[in-house]
Each structure stands twice: as C-alpha cells, then as structure tokens.
Amino acid sequence: QVQLKESGGGSVQAGGSLRLSCAASGYTDNENEYCLGWFRQFPGKERDGVATIRSDGRTTYKDSVKGRFTISRDNASDTLYLQMNNLKPEDTAMYYCAAATETAGGYCFVRLFAYWGQGTQVTVSS
C-alpha cells in the first residue's frame, strides 16, 4: 500500500527558505524502477511538476526552480525532501508529493504518478 504525507509548508518572506518533507512508503514493494516527485498547484490551475527523483537517483527540475530547489530522498527513513531556497512570491502554491511505481522507458511521466499526498501550503510574501 502506497502512502504519502507532506509536511513543512508555511509562510515565509521572499528570499527565505523552507524544507518540505514527505513520509513515503509502499512504492518499492516490487522491483520496478520508480519515481518520487513534488508538484505544485496554483489556484484555478492544473498541477505542475516541480522536481522528480528516480529510483537510481537521477533528478529533474522545472526550469523556474533550477538552482533554488533540491529534491532528495532518505531511504533509511522513507522520507522525500524538497529544499526550497531563495523563495519568490510566484512560488506560492499548494505543494504535493507523489509516487509512481513504474517508469515508461525510464521516464517519470506525470501520468504515471498514481499516488498523491494531501498537500501542504507554501505562501511567500514580498
């Protein structure tokens, strides 16, 4: 059973930092290559990918967060992290962690993320 729960959201001034955590379990029950990811949703918009990490450690980032955000995983504690530095008001959104229990040809396509957390709000003020 795949379970995910985000935490660490809050309010911060522009230029500040937040570290989001996601307790994630059940996604490695088979030998498939898997992906974990962070997504965000602005009001009235579709969920948008922020960062992904594949089972072999390869990462991808949305262009607008490159150099500011870092996705990582602690296998010992089954925790996914998103370190967010130099936050900007346009980063304000609901952030979700998600899991895909397989890849398509090694790619973490959005459609493969079938399991989602409940979301944690990040608000960045100017």
Side-chain angles (χ1 to χ4, degrees):
Q1 181 180 357
V2 179
Q3 294 181 304
L4 305 99
K5 184 175 177 60
E6 308 93 335
S7 62
S11 297
V12 64
Q13 292 189 2
S17 298
L18 285 172
R19 183 179 176 90
L20 305 184
S21 299
C22 175
S25 63
Y27 57 89
T28 58
D29 288 346
N30 57 43
E31 296 183 357
N32 289 347
E33 192 173 52
Y34 64 84
C35 302
L36 298 173
W38 289 97
F39 296 76
R40 64 187 180 186
Q41 186 171 29
F42 307 110
K45 304 295 184 180
E46 297 290 321
R47 291 184 186 183
D48 188 33
V50 176
T52 66
I53 184 166
R54 206 168 64 185
S55 48
D56 64 354
R58 178 169 294 195
T59 59
T60 66
Y61 294 93
K62 181 179 178 67
D63 286 344
S64 62
V65 309
K66 288 180 179 177
R68 299 190 297 122
F69 291 10
T70 302
I71 187 171
S72 62
R73 181 185 66 242
D74 182 351
N75 290 334
S77 62
D78 266 344
T79 304
L80 178 72
Y81 298 102
L82 184 68
Q83 178 67 46
M84 304 185 293
N85 297 326
N86 192 24
L87 282 161
K88 303 176 180 180
E90 51 263 44
D91 295 318
T92 295
M94 185 72 73
Y95 283 72
Y96 299 85
C97 65
T101 55
E102 63 179 358
T103 69
Y107 291 93
C108 302
F109 293 109
V110 173
R111 66 176 179 84
L112 299 175
F113 286 90
Y115 304 95
W116 298 83
Q118 82 291 337
T120 186
Q121 178 68 37
V122 171
T123 302
V124 184
S125 60
S126 60

